[in-house]
Amino acid sequence: MRVAVAGASGNIGSLTVAALRRHGHDPVPMSRSHGVDLVTGDGLDEALTGVDAVIDAMSAPAADREATVAYFGAATRNLLRAEREAGVRHHVLLSIVEVHRIAGTAHYSGKREQERLVSAGDVPWTIVPVTQFFDFGETVASWTERDGTAYLAPVLMQPIAPADVADVLAEVAAGPSHGRYRDVAGPDRHDLVDMARRTHQATGREMTLVPTWEAILGPDMAGNVLLPGPDARIAPTTFDDWLADRTRPR
């Protein structure tokens, strides 16, 4: 199949392009670096010529809630319009487990807008909700770090390896549309603060981590809110495996 990947220059997007190639498909990378601007629509019609399916793994630049929703909304509308005109048969959206239950960050609001537009659109669709990635602890710590100290909420989650997410997206895109796909998660539960600590230890980074609900992630994420549903699809890679791979000499 010929499968376009929106957000192909990002972490998940680039892994998805590689996964599609491994599965024998013909990936079409779409990002500004590939001459496609999803927000303005420039280059989009040409990129979708002959495309069977689209995987949307785009992210948005850091901004407030209103700007993030506007960014995701504009890009998704352009994408769906171009897909409809090109005769694309399947739109696959990467989303977040329990995104509708949590106020969350600006990013969560943007993903909810994407889900709304995709589910109301004319192109057959599958929304794939996944849990947070294994590098989420390290990422959140980088957002809040000041003078060697970072503030993280002690969030319980069941994170997943980015490469496993890419494999699932490539598989789903090659099949029929499902509507809302079942939750996709990693094999084990972890605490966000402990994930950040272990990642820093493995990579030799020194940082003091302070557990608090007064940082970026609020108490609406406390308890089991971020955990996948009972029928979740469980990916194979463990956090230990992922850490070992990150620190393996290349």
Side-chain angles (χ1 to χ4, degrees):
M1 290 178 61
R2 187 168 171 83
V3 183
V5 180
S9 60
N11 181 28
I12 298 297
S14 60
L15 289 170
T16 301
V17 169
L20 287 165
R21 289 198 178 104
R22 286 197 307 273
H23 287 276
H25 301 297
D26 178 18
V28 180
M30 296 194 302
S31 67
R32 287 194 181 95
S33 62
H34 295 93
V36 180
D37 190 320
L38 295 174
V39 175
T40 65
D42 291 343
L44 189 53
D45 292 331
E46 294 81 1
L48 291 183
T49 301
V51 163
D52 301 294
V54 170
I55 297 172
D56 181 359
M58 76 172 101
S59 59
D64 61 23
R65 193 177 303 268
E66 183 177 349
T68 301
V69 171
Y71 182 96
F72 274 124
T76 302
R77 288 186 187 92
N78 282 334
L79 198 50
L80 293 173
R81 185 273 309 162
E83 289 174 15
R84 185 170 59 252
E85 293 178 0
V88 171
R89 301 192 299 271
H90 193 184
H91 180 99
V92 179
L93 172 64
L94 172 62
S95 193
I96 306 169
V97 166
E98 300 294 359
V99 71
H100 293 280
R101 291 183 59 192
I102 306 164
T105 62
H107 183 72
Y108 275 60
S109 297
K111 298 306 290 185
R112 285 193 290 269
E113 176 67 1
Q114 281 191 296
E115 286 200 9
R116 184 186 70 82
L117 293 169
V118 168
S119 60
D122 299 326
V123 180
W125 54 274
T126 302
I127 293 172
V128 181
V130 307
T131 54
Q132 289 69 31
F133 307 143
F134 282 150
D135 59 359
F136 191 56
E138 181 182 28
T139 299
V140 175
S142 72
W143 292 341
T144 64
E145 189 267 334
R146 297 290 184 275
D147 299 322
T149 300
Y151 302 86
L152 290 83
V155 177
L156 179 65
M157 57 184 59
Q158 195 166 325
I160 187 170
D164 287 345
V165 174
D167 282 335
V168 171
L169 292 174
E171 175 194 316
V172 170
S177 59
H178 293 272
R180 191 167 191 87
Y181 195 75
R182 56 182 172 146
D183 293 347
V184 181
D188 304 304
R189 297 180 180 182
H190 293 274
D191 171 80
L192 180 66
V193 181
D194 185 59
M195 287 170 58
R197 180 178 295 111
R198 292 181 60 193
T199 304
H200 290 152
Q201 288 173 345
T203 56
R205 178 107 187 257
E206 292 188 7
M207 186 181 298
T208 300
L209 302 176
V210 179
T212 176
W213 286 108
E214 297 180 358
I216 289 179
L217 308 179
D220 58 338
M221 293 187 175
N224 296 337
V225 173
L226 294 183
L227 298 181
D231 63 340
R233 175 173 176 173
I234 304 301
T237 307
T238 67
F239 187 58
D240 287 339
D241 291 338
W242 177 81
L243 276 181
D245 184 67
R246 277 200 63 178
T247 56
R248 185 176 295 118
R250 304 297 181 184

